[in-house]
Each structure stands twice: as C-alpha cells, then as structure tokens.
Amino acid sequence: MQSSSSEIHHHERCRPVFPTENTGPADSDKGKVRRRVMGKSSAPQICRQQSFGRDIGHAAAETYLITRLSFDLLGYLGVGYRWITRLLALACYAILLMPGFLQVAYHYFFSPQVRRSIVYGDQPRNRLDLYIPPPTSAGLKPVVVFVTGGAWIIGYKAWGSLLGLQLAERDIIVACLDYRNFPQGTISDMVRDVSQGISFVCNNISAFGGDPNRIYLMGQSAGAHISSCALIEQAIKESRGERISWSASQIKAYFGLSGGYNLFNMVEHFHNRGLYRSIFLSIMEGEESFEQYSPGTRLKEPRVRKAASLLTHIVLFHGSEDYSIPCEASKTFAEALQGVEVKTDLIVYNGKTHTDLFLQDPLRGGKDELFDHIVAVIHANDSDALSKDAVAPPRRRLVPEILLKLAGKVSPF
C-alpha cells in the first residue's frame, strides 16, 4: 500500500537509521559485542512524537490497509460456519471487555508517556510504540521489546498497550513492535520485521532513556513463536561470525507467553480450531519451511548447538487450560532448550486460558503472578527498584468481575 502524502513528508523529515545485516568477520571478544554491533555510525535522528492530527491520518491509512487485507484474507478462508461463530464470539468478547479497552485506548492516544508509530524499517507496518515511564527517577531504564500475537493474521502493536502502560508504571520502558501479517507477508517477512525492530531498539533506545545493556525480549502467542525464531536465528548468525546489527547475547532474558514453538505439532491442531491447513501452510511457506521456523526442532540440529550457548535465560509461561495453544507446546520447547543446556524456566498457571494471562487478569487489577514474575526478573539486580516494587500500589481494576467472567465464557480463544 502506498503512503499518503502527509505520511511521506513525515518520513522524509524524521527518517531513522536502519542497521543492516551484513556478513563479515566478527569480534570474538564478548566485551566488544556492543562496539561490533553498533559500528561507527552517527547517532540516529529521532523525531518528536507526531501530532494528534497526523496520528488520525496514519490511523485512517492503517484502517484502510487492514480492511483491504481482511477482504484478501476472506478470499483465502471462505465464509464457513466455524469462522462465523468465532467472529460472533469475538465481537461479544470485545463488547464485554469494552470498559477496560476504552480506558486503555484513552491513555494510548493521550498520555504523554506513549510515543506512537515510530518508524523502524522501510516495509509497511515497520513501526513501534514506546511506553516511557514518568520522569520520577534518574538513570537509564530497563527495556522490554514486546511482540504481540494474533494468529499471524491480526497482530497489531496496540494489542500490547495494557502491558506497556502497566510496566511503565514500574519504571520499565516497553517497545511494542508491529510487523507484517498474512496475507501482507509470510513467516519469513514477520521474522525479518521483528528482527529489524529489535535491532532498532538495541541501537536507538538510549535516545529515549533506555539502557541498551538491559534489554528483554517478550512475545505472546504467535508473537512468542515469531520472536523466538528471530532470537535463535540471530544466535546462529552470531555463532557463525556473521556481521550483525544486534546480538542475541544483548538480550538479558526472553519471556515466552502462551507460545507455540513446533510447527509440526501445530498444523493439525490449528486446522481443527479453524485456522485451516491450507492457510497455515501459506503463512509458514509450506511444510518444507517447518523445520526452519520450529525453534524447538531447530535446536536439535548439531550445527545449531554452538548457537545455543549464546541464548539468554528463557522463561516460558502458559495456562493449563489454554486450548488455542496447549501448554504442551511450552513444555516440549522447555525440554528442547534444557537439552542443549540453555537456562530455562517453565511456569504453568493452573486453570488459566489463552487470554486469562494476557487480558482478563491484567484488566482485573490487583495482584497478578505473571506480571510480578516478569518485573522481579527485570529488577533482580536493582535493589532500589525492588524496594519500590515492594510498596507499589495494587493495579487498578478496569473491568467489573461479572463482565470478566462472562468474557471468559464466550471467548473464542
């Protein structure tokens, strides 16, 4: 899709530096990883946040894009009973949670702590949102790069706004990446987009007050699959001595939430859930690509073993009652990681579904084990931050309990 004239003008004035992946000799000294990754390029030009009017124009352009892609998608899916019922269930689910969504949307559009649609690449939807903590303390902040889910079809950066706003309250910067979805792109495009977004954050986040030495990567559902593929692919490049724009060893920890990591095990499951085999194969570029984009399987390759030593601490979260992606997916991935001696934690939440951990529980407010665990890992070596966490007020409830329970009953996920 072609950009509007106002959008082109904005890009010309505020074009950032996009690091590129090149091959070449790499410095084997880990203490020099940062210098090798960054190179000698000058500081990137960072633009100010767009005006609200420009945001409206951008939103209109993206609405047109998403609408057109939706019609393209219908051409793949056809209109069947299974999709109609799921669409109706999704509409009911969204209506029930609307009181919370409206509050989050207000902060997303009007909070001075949210920097929307920062361009990180030259492809459509190569944008990210930044959630900046209030300036209450000095020093660089830890950063979470978050990749949203959406069945590789309906992912969007704003889906991470609730997580971004809540982590920002704990003095953590969050970068929510957007990326091309199917049918605009296939899995290789998605992994490439996410890798470029991570690169942009690693190389530019200090301009926004982020600490480039405390970057964490997190993905949810399909976003967990895509981000884990990007992380392992980068570790492989690094282990081969290729010149890279970001290093897998820069990532302090990886959080995988309700993800699927083995395409061989997922194709039939998704077909039975309504993501038909023909669509899934189109998204994943055919069965011949399954091994390349199955992190749990790829780790077993002898030539990939060296890359495993570069992987960071991996923390996998899953709900025991997740029917969209069964928790067995995280269990088998954890076993594969542990088999190549990667530090891995698996946390299964009894009775939780695919959306409980990411939506209903955060909207409920109060204590949240998943949120507290993520914050504890990020602040583990920061005694001041841990002291503030201990006295932090409970998160505010955004949706009445009865609506949350009804939403859980009708959820199509």
Side-chain angles (χ1 to χ4, degrees):
M1 173 186 150
Q2 299 232 336
S3 301
S4 65
S5 60
S6 62
E7 190 176 332
I8 292 172
H9 177 65
H10 172 67
H11 291 179
E12 289 172 348
R13 288 192 302 132
C14 305
R15 185 174 298 279
V17 173
F18 307 129
T20 56
E21 300 284 348
N22 299 308
T23 58
D27 192 335
S28 60
D29 184 352
K30 285 193 175 182
K32 298 180 182 178
V33 165
R34 184 72 190 160
R35 192 182 312 162
R36 173 173 60 84
V37 171
M38 292 288 288
K40 296 184 179 179
S41 62
S42 59
Q45 180 184 1
I46 304 297
C47 60
R48 295 179 181 274
Q49 186 174 356
Q50 298 159 289
S51 68
F52 184 69
R54 192 170 289 145
D55 281 341
I56 293 295
H58 172 63
E62 294 232 331
T63 299
Y64 169 78
L65 170 65
I66 292 169
T67 301
R68 181 172 63 81
L69 293 176
S70 297
F71 280 107
D72 290 344
L73 182 63
L74 285 175
Y76 286 93
L77 296 174
V79 180
Y81 168 78
R82 189 177 295 173
W83 270 96
I84 291 174
T85 55
R86 289 192 181 279
L87 185 62
L88 291 173
L90 178 61
C92 293
Y93 178 79
I95 290 169
L96 289 167
L97 298 181
M98 194 59 67
F101 291 162
L102 290 175
Q103 294 176 71
V104 173
Y106 176 82
H107 288 288
Y108 178 74
F109 282 108
F110 296 105
S111 171
Q113 266 70 58
V114 182
R115 312 285 181 89
R116 297 177 299 277
S117 295
I118 296 170
V119 179
Y120 69 76
D122 56 4
Q123 294 297 320
R125 298 186 67 173
N126 280 183
R127 292 175 172 82
L128 60 85
D129 294 330
L130 278 182
Y131 298 82
I132 310 292
T136 55
S137 60
L140 299 176
K141 315 294 185 187
V143 183
V144 171
V145 180
F146 180 67
V147 184
T148 65
W152 304 274
I153 294 172
I154 58 170
Y156 185 58
K157 58 187 171 61
W159 299 168
S161 54
L162 179 57
L163 176 71
L165 291 166
Q166 292 182 338
L167 284 176
E169 292 176 354
R170 297 296 185 91
D171 230 19
I172 298 167
I173 294 176
V174 179
C176 289
L177 302 184
D178 207 3
Y179 54 91
R180 286 171 286 177
N181 284 201
F182 184 79
Q184 189 179 24
T186 54
I187 186 61
S188 62
D189 301 312
M190 301 176 202
V191 173
R192 191 178 304 115
D193 287 353
V194 166
S195 184
Q196 189 164 5
I198 297 169
S199 173
F200 179 90
V201 173
C202 288
N203 291 295
N204 298 323
I205 198 61
S206 58
F208 297 93
D211 187 345
N213 296 312
R214 288 191 293 165
I215 294 178
Y216 299 79
L217 178 60
M218 180 176 180
Q220 187 264 341
S221 191
H225 170 248
I226 297 167
S227 56
S228 62
C229 286
L231 180 63
I232 290 176
E233 181 64 30
Q234 202 70 3
I236 292 171
K237 289 180 180 179
E238 191 173 349
S239 70
R240 293 173 179 169
E242 298 180 23
R243 189 174 297 276
I244 51 177
S245 61
W246 65 279
S247 167
S249 54
Q250 280 180 267
I251 306 300
K252 296 285 287 183
Y254 173 80
F255 304 113
L257 175 57
S258 306
Y261 309 97
N262 189 323
L263 300 182
F264 296 97
N265 296 340
M266 290 195 292
V267 59
E268 288 302 322
H269 173 77
F270 284 129
H271 179 79
N272 295 330
R273 295 279 299 174
L275 183 56
Y276 302 125
R277 186 182 295 102
S278 59
I279 307 300
F280 190 77
L281 291 175
S282 296
I283 295 171
M284 300 304 167
E285 302 173 4
E287 289 188 31
E288 59 273 18
S289 296
F290 276 16
E291 186 166 333
Q292 180 179 356
Y293 296 110
S294 295
T297 300
R298 200 169 189 192
L299 284 171
K300 298 176 182 178
E301 299 176 26
R303 60 192 180 91
V304 177
R305 291 293 181 99
K306 183 180 177 182
S309 65
L310 299 173
L311 292 177
T312 184
H313 180 199
I314 307 289
V315 187
L316 304 177
F317 306 99
H318 225 112
S320 64
E321 302 301 311
D322 189 334
Y323 299 112
S324 294
I325 302 178
C327 66
E328 193 64 31
S330 287
K331 291 178 181 178
T332 54
F333 187 37
E335 291 170 358
L337 288 163
Q338 291 164 350
V340 291
E341 300 181 348
V342 176
K343 181 182 178 183
T344 307
D345 294 325
L346 170 65
I347 302 171
V348 177
Y349 295 94
N350 290 329
K352 298 296 184 180
T353 67
H354 195 68
T355 54
D356 279 337
L357 296 172
F358 186 63
L359 275 178
Q360 283 101 292
D361 287 351
L363 290 170
R364 182 174 282 111
K367 184 175 176 58
D368 182 338
E369 290 183 55
L370 171 65
F371 180 83
D372 291 344
H373 193 112
I374 292 170
V375 172
V377 171
I378 295 171
H379 287 162
N381 298 315
D382 188 337
S383 57
D384 289 340
L386 289 172
S387 299
K388 291 179 182 178
D389 292 338
V391 297
R395 294 181 302 167
R396 187 168 57 89
R397 176 183 285 275
L398 300 178
V399 177
E401 187 64 26
I402 187 170
L403 295 183
L404 289 169
K405 290 187 179 299
L406 288 172
K409 296 289 185 184
V410 304
S411 172
F413 303 106

